Amino acid sequence: MDLESRTAIVTGASSGIGAATARALAAEGCAVTLAARREDRLEELDASIDGQTLVSPTDVTDPEDVQAMVDETRAALGRVDTVINVAGVLHPEAVAESTEAAVREQIDVNLEGTMRVTRTALPDVLETEGDVIAVSSLNAKHPAAGGSAYTASKFGVNGFCRSLRKEVGREGVGVTIVLPGEVETEMSQWDDGEGRPLEPADVAETIVFALTRPDHVTITELDVAAAERL
Ligand SMILES: NC(=O)c1ccc[n+]([C@@H]2O[C@H](COP(=O)([O-])OP(=O)(O)OC[C@H]3O[C@@H](n4cnc5c(N)ncnc54)[C@H](OP(=O)(O)O)[C@@H]3O)[C@@H](O)[C@H]2O)c1
């Protein structure tokens, strides 16, 4: 399907994978709402994109913010057919040293944020037979030590999306989970000599691929690994 008639919300658009995804979608002619907390970074991205965009400062942990962002998208860009959940935080901690605040934030942003944004936009997505995409992680297939709450949040994202797909898949809504391996972003640096990591654009291109399949095809889940780090 071509993206020119579409309007997407991208959370986590102020950096890394979210910013690259917003750029990639805009390059395909998609109208894009740039959602994250850092307004200055969203404005900077907006100024660099030649396309229809809306800057909507949003904290995905705040239901009122999320509702306002979805309403503003519908009002300013005409519709909401695509939701791309990228916002996330990582606090690598061993369980024995983990803190209530760090665990809470990872669940609230990564899992509940994805659920909240998706739930809020779902009536619009159902009406337009659009798509929901969630950026999970290969950690949710191959957990590593020292990131249990992050991993749990991404297992939760997978569970939420798989269940949602059963609810809305036959109503024409695609639900796609994208599971990246190591990506060089503000969240994580991979200069550990273990091989070249992914770039944010690699994940963005995967998201564009999933959204541009013919109508009778749905991409359910895609692993995107760094070839040199397998
Ligand atoms: N980097 C990797 O190796 C890797 C691997 C697998 C999966 N992922 C996943 O990819 C996604 C993007 O991460 P990234 O690597 O691109 O990291 P990043 O550059 O640090 O981006 C994280 C984004 O999430 C936003 N965010 C954080 N808390 C938020 C909140 N409460 N409300 C709204 N937005 C919030 C940040 O924006 P503000 O601070 O402006 O709000 C930022 O735009 C995450 O879900 C991450 O788990 C990353």
Side-chain angles (χ1 to χ4, degrees), residues 78-138:
R79 54 193 258 142
V80 180
D81 51 64
T82 306
V83 176
I84 307 191
N85 292 287
V86 189
V89 291
L90 165 69
H91 300 298
E93 300 173 320
V95 175
E97 279 96 48
S98 62
T99 61
E100 185 66 29
V103 170
R104 185 69 254 150
E105 191 190 8
Q106 289 170 103
I107 300 296
D108 202 3
V109 176
N110 304 358
L111 173 56
E112 291 186 35
T114 295
M115 295 168 67
R116 191 174 290 118
V117 171
T118 302
R119 181 173 67 242
T120 306
L122 196 58
D124 296 78
V125 176
L126 276 164
E127 193 182 320
T128 54
E129 298 190 359
D131 285 272
V132 173
I133 298 221
V135 174
S136 176
S137 169
L138 278 181

Side-chain angles (χ1 to χ4, degrees), residues 12 14-15 17 37-38 59-60 86 88 136 150 154 181 183 185 188:
S14 59
S15 63
I17 295 167
R37 293 167 302 178
R38 287 171 293 175
D59 183 339
V60 298
V86 189
S136 176
Y150 177 83
K154 296 298 189 178
V183 191
T185 64
S188 6

Side-chain angles (χ1 to χ4, degrees), residues 1-41:
M1 192 195 284
D2 124 32
L3 295 178
E4 278 188 6
S5 55
R6 301 193 111 190
T7 298
I9 287 168
V10 179
T11 71
S14 59
S15 63
I17 295 167
T21 301
R23 267 185 215 291
L25 291 171
E28 297 286 327
C30 184
V32 186
T33 290
L34 312 174
R37 293 167 302 178
R38 287 171 293 175
E39 188 169 1
D40 54 334
R41 298 285 293 266

